[in-house]
Amino acid sequence: MKTKNIFTILLLLVSINFYAQGKKMLEKKEQIYALKVAFITNNLSLTSTEAEKFWPIYNLFEDKQFDLKHQKSISYIKKMDNETLGKMSDKEALTILTQMEASEDEVFQLRKNLIISLKSILSPVKIIKLKKAEDEFNKKLLQQYREKGPRR
């Protein structure tokens, strides 16, 4: 009886820990996105009319892109461990390469559709500034991560 109670309590504590970690990761993602929004807003100098039309489109793009990359990366990571790769046939590898190409095409199409949608809202110069701002933000984020290392 005591063992069962201890196991139940231990399971509850582990569950709470996983929930807390998931919550922290979500908060961290939201913080990073808030910084990205501020960075892009500052670099694009959007008017209030432009911002009102731009952000819903951009947020939808970001969500779709994240879901696509996250979903695909999980499936590839499962197939990319050394043991699995060592046993993989060329036919299986070719299938995975084809899936990877299709995923990259989907990301490219998302970006292309974003640009098409933004052409009616922003000037071509601001669209190029958007890409530059995204690249700069990602570069700074990666640099900061390298300098400070992962935080837990």
Side-chain angles (χ1 to χ4, degrees):
M1 185 73 171
K2 283 186 178 183
T3 306
K4 190 175 182 180
N5 288 342
I6 291 173
F7 179 73
T8 304
I9 291 170
L10 184 62
L11 185 61
L12 180 65
L13 290 174
V14 169
S15 298
I16 290 170
N17 188 32
F18 282 131
Y19 174 75
Q21 285 179 354
K23 190 175 180 180
K24 283 181 186 177
M25 287 178 58
L26 181 61
E27 288 172 359
K28 192 65 155 178
K29 181 185 173 211
E30 289 172 355
Q31 286 175 341
I32 291 170
Y33 192 69
L35 291 171
K36 184 176 183 178
V37 167
F39 191 84
I40 288 172
T41 300
N42 187 45
N43 279 274
L44 293 185
S45 303
L46 297 173
T47 66
S48 59
T49 305
E50 289 172 333
E52 185 178 305
K53 294 176 183 176
F54 169 78
W55 286 113
I57 292 170
Y58 187 77
N59 290 336
L60 184 63
F61 163 77
E62 281 286 303
D63 290 343
K64 286 181 180 179
Q65 180 178 253
F66 176 81
D67 289 343
L68 180 64
K69 286 182 176 182
H70 184 71
Q71 173 190 13
K72 301 299 179 177
S73 67
I74 288 173
S75 78
Y76 297 141
I77 288 170
K78 290 178 182 175
K79 298 173 185 173
M80 297 292 179
D81 65 73
N82 288 333
E83 186 176 327
T84 305
L85 283 173
K87 296 177 183 177
M88 189 179 291
S89 69
D90 282 347
K91 186 177 180 179
E92 292 169 322
L94 189 56
T95 301
I96 292 172
L97 283 174
T98 302
Q99 292 170 348
M100 291 169 75
E101 289 171 350
S103 294
E104 290 298 320
D105 284 343
E106 287 181 68
V107 172
F108 174 75
Q109 286 302 319
L110 280 175
R111 172 65 64 177
K112 191 173 178 180
N113 290 336
L114 173 68
I115 292 170
I116 290 167
S117 298
L118 292 179
K119 283 182 179 178
S120 64
I121 300 168
L122 303 177
S123 71
V125 171
K126 284 189 178 182
I127 295 172
I128 292 171
K129 284 182 178 182
L130 169 64
K131 177 64 176 145
K132 185 175 185 256
E134 289 174 320
D135 291 345
E136 286 177 9
F137 180 81
N138 290 336
K139 186 177 176 181
K140 287 182 180 191
L141 190 64
L142 184 59
Q143 182 180 1
Q144 184 178 12
Y145 180 80
R146 284 181 180 156
E147 289 172 0
K148 293 184 179 180
R151 291 189 178 188
R152 296 193 175 159

